[in-house]
Amino acid sequence: MEDQSPDVPVTKPTVLLVDDEESILNSLRRLLRSQPYEILLADSGAKALEILKERPVDLVMTDARMPNMDGATLLAQIRKLYPSTLRILLTGYADVDMMTKAINEGQLYRYLSKPWNDEELVQALRQALAHQHSESERQRLEALNREQNQQLKTLNATLEKRVASRTAELQQTADMLDLAYEELKRSYVTGTEVFSLIANLRLPKAKQTNRQIIELIRVYSRLNSLDESTDRDLTMAAALYNIGKLSWTDNMMVTPADMLHHSELELYRAYPKQSESLLMTLDPMKDAARIILHHQERWDGSGFPDHLRGEAIPFGSRLLKLAVDFIELQRGLILERQMNSDEALVYIRKYTGKLYDPDMVEDFIKACAEYLEDVTLSDPTVQVVTTRELAAGMVLARNLNADNGMLLLNAGKVMSGPLIEKLIAFEAMEGARYSVFVKIPEEEADPSAPKPMLG
């Protein structure tokens, strides 16, 4: 048991003794007066129930044979009304029916024979109360565990107030991962999804990515019938791919990758390795950690950290890069301008064979269309054109926004010659280059036609 502070009073267990014979009660009281218990006495079952109604009692020991209400009946009532109170039957009769009733209806902890052995009776009470304390402590710890899990879920509102420095933040992350090891062995995926919240805490809500990447990976896995082990490793990698960014400054966390200062690039290129290092100590996560390590490799070998090329890049890493880039392009974490989902897919198609595995891109686009309702790029009747390729009569398939986010035209707008000229002039004035998603008649759409590769 934990040491009690001198200022905190120690509560004695309360023991209620019930017997219709005053001499028996006095004998029991004398026997137990040296024990650390508060002793209460009752000379009938009715009196015992009155005491229980007025105050909590830890243990009741009752005689079996009493007038009006026998011990078995009393214990059955106590079990119904006060199930946490321990119950012991004291009997001097070999009454099988009485014992059966007490056991079945009273759910007694144990029974003792009369006349009793003093040492045996004292030991029985001590063991019963120790059992009750252990059970109470187990319930307290379970409640504490549930409370701490709830606190973890809401940590995004309080983490910045709880950490004293960036170093302490990293240490806390490592400690939490270590403490969760046993839970991860039972449910690795669930555990890592909880811990993915930690990385998101450093980002504004509009910049958070992990949940969307996890869900997108799961859709791809389902559509392409990936095996359970691969799906599990990919989900864990998606949950924790950016945990190595926790040592970054707040400004660097929200700065697009192509806008990072020269002095920050080395730290940026180190984050996959840092993420892997934090996870490799947990044996069940080694495969997920390897996926994370190589998710910034590029198909043409220009990526990092190891400049792997083509199929030398693990399959999971190639898929994770597609998902990470798709979501981070929309969050403004790669380029200065935030893209919509279709523009992000146009970007991915453009760099197929350079950044991305050409055999995976179209399956990935199908997964995106399944995951997001606003993806139109997988529709053969939708084309992506420049402003100068627009023609009168074309219909916008999705909203057109300026680079600063201002809405220019709503989806469903029918293009006219004067409207196209105004759009071209505005584009030139802004120094921008818009990708316009237009819908063409289905009979004119050719699913086998090459996809537009806009810059």
Side-chain angles (χ1 to χ4, degrees), residues 383-396:
Q383 288 187 356
V384 190
V385 299
T386 66
T387 55
R388 296 185 181 279
E389 292 172 329
L390 288 169
M394 288 182 172
V395 179
L396 286 185

Side-chain angles (χ1 to χ4, degrees), residues 40-103:
L40 304 176
L41 304 178
D43 58 8
S44 67
K47 180 63 175 177
L49 291 175
E50 289 179 9
I51 293 174
L52 284 162
K53 186 176 181 181
E54 294 173 357
R55 59 175 299 170
V57 172
D58 296 294
L59 182 147
V60 173
M61 183 167 68
T62 181
D63 185 26
R65 294 286 183 176
M66 295 187 297
N68 300 322
M69 182 187 300
D70 60 32
T73 302
L74 172 62
L75 294 183
Q77 285 291 312
I78 292 173
R79 177 204 171 197
K80 179 180 179 181
L81 298 173
Y82 313 102
S84 63
T85 299
L86 289 174
R87 301 167 292 281
I88 293 179
L89 186 69
L90 192 61
T91 177
Y93 299 88
D95 189 331
V96 176
D97 291 339
M98 170 74 72
M99 296 304 300
T100 300
K101 180 179 180 181
I103 292 172

Side-chain angles (χ1 to χ4, degrees), residues 191-251:
T192 54
E193 288 187 45
V194 172
F195 286 109
S196 72
L197 295 174
I198 297 173
N200 276 326
L201 300 179
R202 295 289 310 284
L203 291 166
K205 188 172 183 179
K207 296 287 186 180
Q208 294 176 9
T209 60
N210 299 66
R211 169 52 51 191
Q212 291 73 27
I213 293 173
I214 291 171
E215 293 172 354
L216 182 53
I217 286 288
R218 283 177 170 161
V219 171
Y220 184 97
S221 178
R222 174 173 55 81
L223 292 179
N224 292 275
S225 302
L226 300 185
D227 62 80
E228 182 179 350
S229 175
T230 300
D231 177 68
R232 183 193 66 223
D233 291 337
L234 279 165
T235 300
M236 290 192 294
L240 297 175
Y241 82 97
N242 56 354
I243 198 170
K245 295 181 180 181
L246 288 180
S247 61
W248 292 7
T249 64
D250 290 340
N251 182 65

Side-chain angles (χ1 to χ4, degrees), residues 17 69 93 95 104-105 119 129-130 146 160 202 231 236 316 328 373 377 415 437 444:
L17 306 174
M69 182 187 300
Y93 299 88
D95 189 331
N104 291 340
E105 299 181 17
E119 184 177 346
L129 291 167
R146 289 192 296 270
E160 285 296 327
R202 295 289 310 284
D231 177 68
M236 290 192 294
E328 289 194 350
E373 294 181 356
L377 204 58
M415 302 303 296
F437 293 80
E444 297 179 19

Side-chain angles (χ1 to χ4, degrees), residues 271-416:
Y271 92 82
K273 182 64 177 176
Q274 180 71 13
S275 298
E276 184 223 23
S277 298
L278 288 170
L279 304 177
M280 282 299 289
T281 56
L282 300 177
D283 187 73
M285 299 191 65
K286 286 184 177 179
D287 290 335
R290 181 169 178 263
I291 291 173
I292 292 172
L293 175 63
H294 295 298
H295 82 278
Q296 285 293 355
E297 305 285 1
R298 296 176 174 178
W299 187 256
D300 64 2
S302 64
F304 55 88
D306 296 329
H307 303 290
L308 299 183
R309 178 189 298 269
E311 294 187 359
I313 306 169
F315 166 82
S317 301
R318 284 177 266 155
L319 176 56
L320 183 59
K321 178 169 181 58
L322 281 164
V324 167
D325 284 6
F326 175 66
I327 299 299
E328 289 194 350
L329 282 165
Q330 296 175 70
R331 300 293 184 269
L333 294 175
I334 295 178
L335 304 177
E336 184 177 10
R337 182 174 73 87
Q338 289 184 238
M339 297 183 175
N340 60 44
S341 56
D342 277 332
E343 289 171 330
L345 292 177
V346 169
Y347 178 94
I348 287 173
R349 272 183 174 161
K350 175 181 178 180
Y351 289 101
T352 297
K354 296 179 181 179
L355 307 184
Y356 312 108
D357 180 351
D359 292 331
M360 295 179 68
V361 167
E362 293 307 316
D363 284 341
F364 179 75
I365 290 175
K366 291 177 183 177
C368 293
E370 176 90 4
Y371 172 58
L372 294 174
E373 294 181 356
D374 67 338
V375 170
T376 63
L377 204 58
S378 60
D379 185 345
T381 67
V382 173
Q383 288 187 356
V384 190
V385 299
T386 66
T387 55
R388 296 185 181 279
E389 292 172 329
L390 288 169
M394 288 182 172
V395 179
L396 286 185
R398 65 178 303 151
N399 293 346
L400 178 61
N401 296 306
D403 285 351
N404 62 7
M406 180 180 69
L407 177 64
L408 298 178
L409 296 172
N410 287 311
K413 183 71 174 179
V414 179
M415 302 303 296
S416 65

